[in-house]
Amino acid sequence: MSNKKLRRAGLSKDITERLAVNNVLTCKDFLSKNNLELLKLLGLGYYSLQEVVKTCCKACVPESITALELLERRKSKNFFETTLPDLDKVLHGGIPMGTVTEIAGPSGCGKTQFCVMLSVVATLPANMGGLDGCVMYIDTESAFSAERLVQVAQCKYPEYFRQEDSLLQLTRSIFVDVQQTCSSLIKRLTSLEEEIISRKIKLIVVDSIASLVRKEYSGSGGKSLIDRTNFLSQQAAILKYLAEFFCIPVVVTNQITTRFGQNPTPSDLEEGAEIVPETDTGYVTAALGNTWSHNVNTRLILQYLEGQKRQVLVAKSPVAPFTSFTYTIQDTGIVQEVDGAGHYHGTDPGIQNIRVRSSLPLEYATKK
């Protein structure tokens, strides 16, 4: 990664300090300068400078790795349990470590509730199904609630969080970072490497991945669409790198959009709506289109059912079939219904129809 800090690139302390004085802090800052500029900054000979440049370049290039090394890296724990028993079972143990998992769905279906619950679980010790670490919760919608976090913890694990010290440790382990622009979000993501190490981050949450994109790239012009695609690709690359390199789960939430007709235009793909038109020419699906859809490893879709019941669909997974589970939102977080599991007729996860109101028919999801 070109944004790696120079002090982690294998350079001597003397060189990094000289560069820091001139605000050259990352490999990208260093490699963006020409030889003449670097010679002036460091006061080295030409051949000595070339050795420094080579060291910096090597630090930016991802090293090749064998399948055996990947297995060994993930040997300690392959999955992060969601605490939804049937969902964990179909996913072979839970959310895969070292991957990006998306939770998509309409407003009010429990996306943030799901993330808050996962954040609580991540802080628990390993013998309780947790990751025994901290959480980086990046909030783009100002939706995170510390009160709800404490409520879920106390109701879901009353014995463990009975003592005030346990609650204090929980709240100190969740680092909430509010980002309000696409550029600040990218800058924050590129600076996470050192914090993952120093703060023992074991889970990254981005809630939501679509909010800022739809705010800043809402136009239908060609340039806006190209810029949006480039931003999503850059964002996905960073998140996948962090997940794979540190072997931790990355969870993101996504919103919904309405597609119209057989061949929707780019502007149609990003004009969000929560009610399907009463015709057969429109349907609701996850936002951000195919570019983003192909970048997530696992996609869970949340949708409405009758009354207080909701449904989670495993719409994309390298190990699981198209499966559906019924759940409700309670004081303990997301709670799976005992008899709510089944299979459904899946489709391309990028165009998976999502139910947004309980009065609409659920024609595509038939239980076997």
Side-chain angles (χ1 to χ4, degrees), residues 35-339:
N35 286 337
L36 182 58
E37 291 174 316
L38 293 175
L39 286 171
K40 290 180 179 179
L41 289 176
L42 296 176
L44 299 175
Y46 180 79
Y47 292 105
S48 298
L49 175 62
Q50 293 308 303
E51 291 301 315
V52 176
V53 171
K54 287 180 183 179
T55 301
C56 195
C57 289
K58 288 181 180 179
C60 296
V61 179
E63 296 181 3
S64 60
I65 188 170
T66 66
L68 177 60
E69 289 172 315
L70 282 174
L71 286 173
E72 301 238 338
R73 181 184 293 179
R74 300 183 182 183
K75 187 180 294 182
S76 58
K77 189 165 184 177
N78 295 330
F79 299 94
F80 173 38
E81 297 176 10
T82 66
T83 72
L84 302 180
D86 287 336
L87 179 59
D88 287 338
K89 182 178 180 180
V90 79
L91 291 175
H92 293 204
I95 294 174
M97 304 288 280
T99 66
V100 177
T101 298
E102 178 195 80
I103 303 173
S107 175
C109 249
K111 300 187 297 294
T112 297
Q113 303 293 327
F114 208 141
C115 291
V116 167
M117 185 180 73
L118 292 177
S119 297
V120 172
V121 177
T123 66
L124 297 175
N127 60 6
M128 293 181 65
L131 300 177
D132 193 22
C134 296
V135 178
M136 177 57 68
Y137 197 111
I138 299 177
D139 186 6
T140 67
E141 296 183 308
S142 299
F144 181 86
S145 169
E147 291 79 9
R148 179 58 174 152
L149 175 78
V150 172
Q151 181 187 36
V152 170
Q154 289 180 316
C155 294
K156 194 172 184 67
Y157 303 99
E159 294 297 323
Y160 187 78
F161 290 105
R162 178 182 298 176
Q163 302 297 326
E164 186 176 349
D165 289 346
S166 299
L167 284 175
L168 285 174
Q169 182 58 39
L170 167 70
T171 53
R172 288 170 179 163
S173 300
I174 312 293
F175 300 96
V176 182
D177 198 333
V178 178
Q179 298 296 328
Q180 298 182 337
T181 66
C182 290
S183 59
S184 68
L185 176 58
I186 285 292
K187 186 176 180 180
R188 188 70 185 94
L189 292 176
T190 55
S191 68
L192 279 182
E193 277 189 277
E194 290 189 346
E195 288 188 59
I196 291 174
I197 298 171
S198 62
R199 290 181 167 178
K200 198 182 175 184
I201 301 295
K202 293 299 181 68
L203 170 67
I204 297 175
V205 176
V206 182
D207 183 21
S208 98
I209 209 77
S211 176
L212 301 180
V213 178
R214 302 178 83 175
K215 185 194 307 181
E216 296 188 26
Y217 301 104
S218 58
S220 58
K223 185 177 186 300
S224 179
L225 184 60
I226 293 173
D227 290 343
R228 182 179 68 85
T229 300
N230 290 338
F231 171 78
L232 288 173
S233 299
Q234 183 182 6
Q235 185 175 229
I238 297 171
L239 290 174
K240 293 179 81 169
Y241 166 77
L242 294 175
E244 293 173 5
F245 186 82
F246 294 101
C247 197
I248 60 175
V250 172
V251 177
V252 303
T253 66
N254 192 5
Q255 299 172 350
I256 59 173
T257 189
T258 300
R259 290 191 176 186
F260 299 94
Q262 298 297 318
N263 297 299
T265 65
S267 59
D268 289 334
L269 297 180
E270 292 305 311
E271 289 297 326
E274 293 192 1
I275 300 178
V276 178
E278 295 182 358
T279 67
D280 58 359
T281 60
Y283 61 95
V284 170
T285 188
L288 303 183
N290 288 331
T291 299
W292 174 256
S293 176
H294 293 309
N295 279 308
V296 298
N297 303 102
T298 303
R299 168 172 277 180
L300 305 179
I301 291 178
L302 309 186
Q303 63 178 5
Y304 286 98
L305 289 181
E306 294 75 14
Q308 299 299 315
K309 293 185 177 181
R310 291 159 172 78
Q311 191 176 53
V312 54
L313 307 176
V314 181
K316 179 182 180 181
S317 169
V319 296
F322 294 115
T323 317
S324 63
F325 306 93
T326 305
Y327 68 93
T328 56
I329 301 175
Q330 300 180 18
D331 289 346
T332 55
I334 304 294
V335 179
Q336 183 187 310
E337 296 287 293
V338 176
D339 57 349

